[in-house]
């Protein structure tokens, strides 16, 4: 990387007026069902994420004030903006859910036109299914944008399949409906998460609108973030699976895209401390029993790439006591820390 590196990202303002939101660094934590709960979002934000987005929230459940749904939609207190992502196929329900989310502290509302899961896209005619009906999609976008005074954003895919790559068209519709930013995952619905994200296609969306556009999909290293931005022409990046077990990764990406310099990962001792903080926050938030179960996947992700991690995960998954899991974490990490072991993130992602 040369000394005359030009920053690839800059502060990004979403929306207009008094409720516009400015991201100091547009490196965004993706909405991930079963992953980006409040403890994870709070940790990612504290470690430098430019914006965090809730798990996908069903609009009808929000309107009915389902207890679990309202918990999923809680926003992180203090220190930068938070977004709540809504999914649904009824414009009125989406509008009402947006009003509820804003009343509860959301700085932005994100609309999901990207979820590929059969239960959502087929069973509920929501998520990525809405890309197949542009007129109905427009009704949802317009109703939601009109319902609240905070910026409303949209996350979608390239299209339903490769015979209907209509993201540029839908992006223009979204802009006309009052949407303030668009994120595009570089796959179709039919691809789910297979194949490779097409960052080049996202350039067509960027060229179709004057709105900020965010590139999403397969961003697991700083170099891939740079390539995704250069090929898409996007204004920022959204990171999902690349943050599993690495909540500090978003800050590394932000630093790299701003300065061209790599920020080292935390030491293994620091990673252990972050893991324990995260694990305790999960149990405190969800309760001991549910927290132990929900925490297993996170503990497993943190351990990927470490010597003996497969055996560690197998043993951890048999434990149902949080204190016992914590002791196992100490027993696993401390010898590695003492030996000066360095976790290799690329190895971790492949594990």
């Amino acid at each position: 990387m040369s000394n005359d590196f030009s920053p690839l990202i800059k502060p990004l303002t979403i929306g207009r007026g008094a409720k516009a939101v400015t991201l100091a660094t547009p490196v965004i934590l993706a909405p991930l069902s079963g992953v980006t709960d409040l403890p994870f979002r709070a940790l990612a934000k504290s470690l430098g994420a430019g914006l965090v987005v809730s798990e996908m929230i069903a609009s009808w459940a929000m309107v009915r004030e389902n207890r679990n749904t309202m918990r999923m939609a809680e926003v992180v207190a203090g220190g930068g903006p938070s977004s709540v992502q809504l999914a649904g196929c009824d414009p009125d329900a989406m509008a009402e859910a947006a009003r509820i989310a804003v009343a509860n502290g959301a700085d932005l509302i994100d609309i999901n036109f990207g979820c590929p899961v059969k239960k959502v896209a087929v069973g509920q005619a929501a998520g990525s299914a809405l890309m197949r009906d542009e007129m109905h999609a427009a009704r949802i976008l317009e109703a939601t944008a009109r319902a609240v005074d905070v910026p409303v954003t949209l996350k979608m895919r390239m299209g339903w399949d490769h015979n209907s790559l209509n993201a540029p068209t839908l992006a223009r519709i979204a802009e006309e409906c009052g949407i303030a930013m668009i994120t595009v995952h570089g796959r179709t619905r039919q691809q789910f998460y297979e194949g490779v994200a097409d960052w080049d296609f996202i350039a067509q969306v960027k060229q179709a609108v004057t709105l900020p556009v965010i590139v999403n999909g397969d961003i697991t290293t700083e170099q891939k973030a740079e390539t995704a931005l250069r090929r898409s022409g996007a204004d920022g990046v959204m990171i999902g699976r690349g943050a599993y077990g690495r909540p500090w990764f978003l800050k590394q990406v932000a630093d790299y895209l701003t300065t061209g310099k790599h920020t080292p990962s935390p030491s293994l001792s620091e990673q252990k401390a972050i893991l324990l903080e995260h694990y305790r926050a999960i149990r405190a938030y969800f309760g001991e029993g549910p927290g132990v179960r929900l925490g297993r996947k996170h503990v497993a992700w943190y351990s990927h790439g470490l010597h003996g991690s497969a055996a560690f995960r197998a043993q951890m998954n048999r434990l149902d006591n949080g204190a016992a899991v914590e002791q196992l974490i100490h027993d696993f990490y401390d010898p590695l820390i003492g030996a000066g072991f360095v976790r290799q993130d690329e190895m971790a992602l492949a594990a």
Side-chain angles (χ1 to χ4, degrees):
M1 189 69 64
S2 65
N3 293 329
D4 59 353
F5 176 79
S6 297
L8 292 170
I9 55 172
K10 58 184 179 180
L12 179 65
T13 297
I14 306 168
R16 299 174 182 173
K19 292 298 182 73
V21 172
T22 297
L23 309 184
T25 52
V27 178
I28 303 169
L29 178 67
L32 300 161
S33 293
V35 178
T36 55
D37 51 36
L38 190 69
F40 189 87
R41 298 198 307 277
L43 181 60
K45 182 182 278 191
S46 73
L47 292 173
L51 174 68
V52 294
V53 187
S54 75
E55 301 173 77
M56 181 182 68
I57 308 296
S59 57
W60 61 268
M62 175 79 84
V63 171
R64 296 176 186 176
E65 296 190 350
N66 176 283
R67 181 177 179 182
N68 289 334
T69 299
M70 298 303 290
R71 166 168 277 201
M72 289 167 64
E74 288 185 41
V75 299
V76 181
S82 292
S83 176
V84 170
Q85 188 185 72
L86 300 174
C89 59
D90 179 77
D92 293 336
M94 288 287 287
E96 181 60 20
R99 284 189 283 265
I100 293 170
V102 171
N104 288 336
D107 301 293
L108 303 102
I109 297 297
D110 188 57
I111 297 175
N112 184 306
F113 281 8
C115 180
V117 176
K118 184 176 181 180
K119 176 182 177 182
V120 175
V122 178
Q124 300 172 14
S128 56
L130 290 164
M131 297 192 72
R132 305 177 79 181
D133 187 342
E134 293 171 2
M135 291 185 63
H136 188 57
R139 288 191 285 270
I140 290 172
L141 295 168
E142 185 173 21
T144 308
R146 285 185 173 183
V148 293
D149 59 357
V150 304
V152 177
T153 63
L154 170 66
K155 186 171 188 287
M156 61 180 171
R157 291 192 165 224
M158 298 192 301
W160 180 261
D161 56 30
H162 278 88
N163 293 319
S164 55
L165 299 177
N166 63 332
T169 300
L170 196 52
R172 286 190 290 269
I173 292 170
E175 185 169 26
E176 293 171 358
C177 291
I179 297 303
M181 184 179 79
I182 295 169
T183 299
V184 184
H185 183 120
R187 289 181 173 87
T188 67
R189 184 272 172 178
Q190 297 295 63
Q191 284 181 280
F192 287 82
Y193 297 98
E194 300 299 322
V196 178
D198 188 346
W199 301 324
D200 294 311
F201 177 85
I202 296 172
Q204 297 181 39
V205 179
K206 177 61 181 172
Q207 293 161 9
V209 294
T210 62
L211 300 176
V213 172
I214 305 298
V215 58
N216 174 231
D218 294 348
I219 299 174
T220 55
T221 69
E222 294 101 315
Q223 292 77 13
K224 288 181 179 179
E226 177 187 5
T227 302
L229 275 179
R230 292 190 185 280
R231 286 169 52 183
S232 66
D235 303 283
V237 298
M238 178 175 280
I239 296 171
R241 289 173 290 173
Y244 285 10
R246 300 190 299 165
W248 53 82
F249 176 58
L250 290 96
K251 179 64 163 56
Q252 290 179 299
V253 169
D255 290 345
Y256 187 82
L257 296 177
T258 303
T259 69
K261 297 178 180 178
H262 173 71
T263 299
S265 296
S267 68
L268 195 57
S269 177
E270 292 168 327
Q271 291 183 33
K272 174 192 167 188
I274 293 169
L275 162 57
L276 287 170
E277 176 187 353
H278 190 181
Y279 188 61
R280 290 165 183 164
I282 292 171
R283 287 154 55 210
Y285 187 70
F286 290 104
E288 185 67 16
V292 168
R293 293 188 293 274
L294 289 168
R296 286 172 180 157
K297 58 176 174 273
H298 291 282
V299 176
W301 288 329
Y302 280 101
S303 72
H304 280 156
L306 294 176
H307 179 70
S309 60
F312 164 74
R313 292 191 292 270
Q315 187 174 355
M316 182 264 298
N317 286 333
R318 291 193 293 268
L319 299 176
D320 58 8
N321 178 278
V325 173
E326 286 197 27
Q327 185 59 55
L328 181 64
I329 291 170
H330 290 300
D331 293 342
F332 173 66
Y333 273 83
D334 289 351
L336 296 174
I337 293 168
F341 190 91
V342 177
R343 177 192 187 201
Q344 300 298 315
D345 284 336
E346 278 294 274
M347 183 194 309
L349 287 166

